[in-house]
Amino acid sequence: MKENMSSLVQKYNIPGPRYTSYPTVPYWEDKSFTPKKWEKSFQKAFIESNASEGISLYIHLPFCESLCTFCGCNKRITKRHEVETPYMESVLKEWRMYCDKLPEKPLIKEIHLGGGTPTFFSPENLQYLINSIFETANRAENHEFSFEGHPNNTTREHLQALYDVGFRRVSYGVQDYTMKVQIAIHRIQPFENVKRATEEAREVGYTSVSHDIIFGLPFQTKEAVEETILKTKALMPDRIAFYSYAHVPWIKGNGQRGFKEEDLPSGEQKREQYEMGKRMFEEIGYTEIGMDHFALKTDSLHKSMRENNLHRNFMGYTASKTQLMIGLGVSAISDSWYGFAQNEKTIEAYKARVEEGEIPVFKGHILNEEDLIIRRHILNLMCQLNTNWKTESLFFSGLPHSLNQLEEMESDGLVVKHNDAIEITEKGRAFVRNVCMAFDLRLQRKKPETQLFSMTI
């Protein structure tokens, strides 16, 4: 079995998207996109869904006091906290521009604060930001508000301030507890800090605490992953995101330096780290959710999977969906289901556009009919590990080509094909991204000349 998995990893460990969207960002058609098209797209989605399910907000807070060298996110390194207020005012001005273009008051079901380091901001400023958002919006009855917290600087005051405005879920970036790995990724973070932050969240009243753990980091061994999971077991977070390190040093400004390519585990070693981690998580009571996620049976993510309500977007897996997600802040991505839009990528360009009274999107994509069908199939595969074309609305002309692409995976036992459906086997869970790539016609039609994506394993 081990030899078989080893050969499969060698065969399928190729660059591929993580499929938080379809089409993936490199295949957005920038030439056909205009801010006016985006405005029509989000207005249509809002009219169709606001009253019935509400909308989601993603707010990007980009500042960090130090650079983590594993991180591929858009961030600005600074210790000057006077940047907080001007940036927040730009975000709020952007939000008001959206509200001015909507026919009624938004009903907000989800908010996620990402970064950067959201807890770079003071508790008072975070509370001010959220309270100001709700001057022009209402809270949905079953809302789910979450934020990313850095264990080293998330204080009880941060937790209380956000709890008081409706937040009940926090995600802590743990990554790895081994000192050699922490030094390589420039993220020195003792277990005691994670323990304190986790316990304080529960004492304040948070109902879901998540830990992010990464495998495949520089100098990381199976023993290091095992040590991290054993320490995680002592805290039993409600959710665990167990990610493969995405090595994308060609992306400008991602900070992935301080180690060499040969310092990284091989694809086969990464897969061994994951399989060991998965086994350990399941032994202590976690269930695997979609790709790279685990949850206790008491967590809403597990309940959503059981009830077939699991959703995936640019924030990752979520326990509920909204048709419209508005991204606020520098580099934030919005999603109307019919289209995507990304904000300016530098703080200076973002603030300048906002000050000019413009919604600060600089690129995007409006989905055509084929895109919309393929998007549904990829979402089904990522969330439910199966998809079907039993109705005409799920058939597209390129489907026979996609199914042909899956023949070798079927021979390898990764998928099972039926007359009008496919399902990913337990053995195939490790290769979900590869299965989705067979449906990705934009990728099939225009293979990239240079590497755009991290490796699938």
Side-chain angles (χ1 to χ4, degrees), residues 13 216-220 245-250 256-267 269-270 451 453-455:
N13 188 25
L217 288 167
F219 305 110
Q220 197 176 40
Y245 165 62
H247 192 55
V248 287
W250 55 85
Q256 291 182 343
R257 55 181 183 268
F259 47 86
K260 306 183 190 73
E261 197 90 23
E262 55 264 33
D263 297 328
L264 298 170
S266 67
Q269 289 171 326
K270 285 177 71 177
Q451 188 170 344
F453 307 108
S454 61
M455 305 299 279

Side-chain angles (χ1 to χ4, degrees), residues 217-230:
L217 288 167
F219 305 110
Q220 197 176 40
T221 62
K222 276 181 70 175
E223 291 73 25
V225 175
E226 182 178 27
E227 177 189 344
T228 295
I229 294 174
L230 287 173

Side-chain angles (χ1 to χ4, degrees), residues 222-352:
K222 276 181 70 175
E223 291 73 25
V225 175
E226 182 178 27
E227 177 189 344
T228 295
I229 294 174
L230 287 173
K231 288 183 175 178
T232 301
K233 179 182 176 181
L235 301 177
M236 291 298 286
D238 303 274
R239 298 182 191 180
I240 294 168
F242 191 41
Y243 289 110
S244 167
Y245 165 62
H247 192 55
V248 287
W250 55 85
I251 295 179
K252 184 179 178 182
N254 70 5
Q256 291 182 343
R257 55 181 183 268
F259 47 86
K260 306 183 190 73
E261 197 90 23
E262 55 264 33
D263 297 328
L264 298 170
S266 67
E268 184 177 344
Q269 289 171 326
K270 285 177 71 177
R271 198 64 225 166
E272 288 177 355
Q273 291 175 1
Y274 181 82
E275 294 297 339
M276 181 195 69
K278 175 183 175 180
R279 184 175 64 253
M280 291 180 71
F281 287 134
E282 290 177 343
E283 285 172 356
I284 58 179
Y286 291 93
T287 301
E288 190 171 18
I289 308 290
M291 180 186 76
D292 301 341
H293 284 65
F294 296 82
L296 295 176
K297 291 181 180 178
T298 51
D299 190 80
S300 61
L301 202 64
H302 185 278
K303 295 174 185 175
S304 179
M305 180 196 71
R306 196 175 62 234
E307 296 167 2
N308 280 333
N309 293 326
L310 194 65
H311 186 57
R312 184 172 174 83
N313 56 28
F314 288 101
M315 296 184 285
Y317 287 106
T318 64
S320 59
K321 74 168 253 318
T322 64
Q323 185 173 327
L324 176 60
M325 182 183 76
I326 294 175
L328 303 175
V330 61
S331 77
I333 296 178
S334 299
D335 178 358
S336 69
W337 182 259
Y338 305 112
F340 303 111
Q342 184 171 25
N343 281 354
E344 296 283 356
K345 284 191 169 184
T346 69
I347 293 173
E348 292 75 17
Y350 166 75
K351 292 175 76 172

Side-chain angles (χ1 to χ4, degrees), residues 12 402-412 415 417:
Y12 293 109
S402 295
L403 296 178
N404 286 338
Q405 295 286 309
L406 293 171
E407 285 183 359
E408 192 167 0
M409 292 187 208
E410 185 177 31
S411 298
D412 288 331
V415 299
K417 287 197 288 186

Side-chain angles (χ1 to χ4, degrees), residues 120-139:
F120 173 97
F121 286 69
S122 72
E124 297 77 15
N125 277 338
L126 289 173
Q127 196 169 74
Y128 167 77
L129 176 65
I130 301 303
N131 282 334
S132 298
I133 290 284
F134 282 104
E135 288 176 2
T136 51
N138 295 320
R139 287 173 176 79

Side-chain angles (χ1 to χ4, degrees), residues 372-417:
L372 289 167
I373 296 172
I374 293 174
R375 182 178 190 187
R376 173 54 63 192
H377 285 297
I378 288 178
L379 191 62
N380 288 344
L381 290 167
M382 295 297 293
C383 294
Q384 301 167 18
L385 303 177
N386 63 70
T387 193
N388 70 79
W389 45 97
K390 294 177 182 178
T391 63
E392 189 176 331
S393 62
L394 288 171
F395 183 85
F396 59 101
S397 61
L399 181 61
H401 173 76
S402 295
L403 296 178
N404 286 338
Q405 295 286 309
L406 293 171
E407 285 183 359
E408 192 167 0
M409 292 187 208
E410 185 177 31
S411 298
D412 288 331
L414 308 185
V415 299
V416 175
K417 287 197 288 186

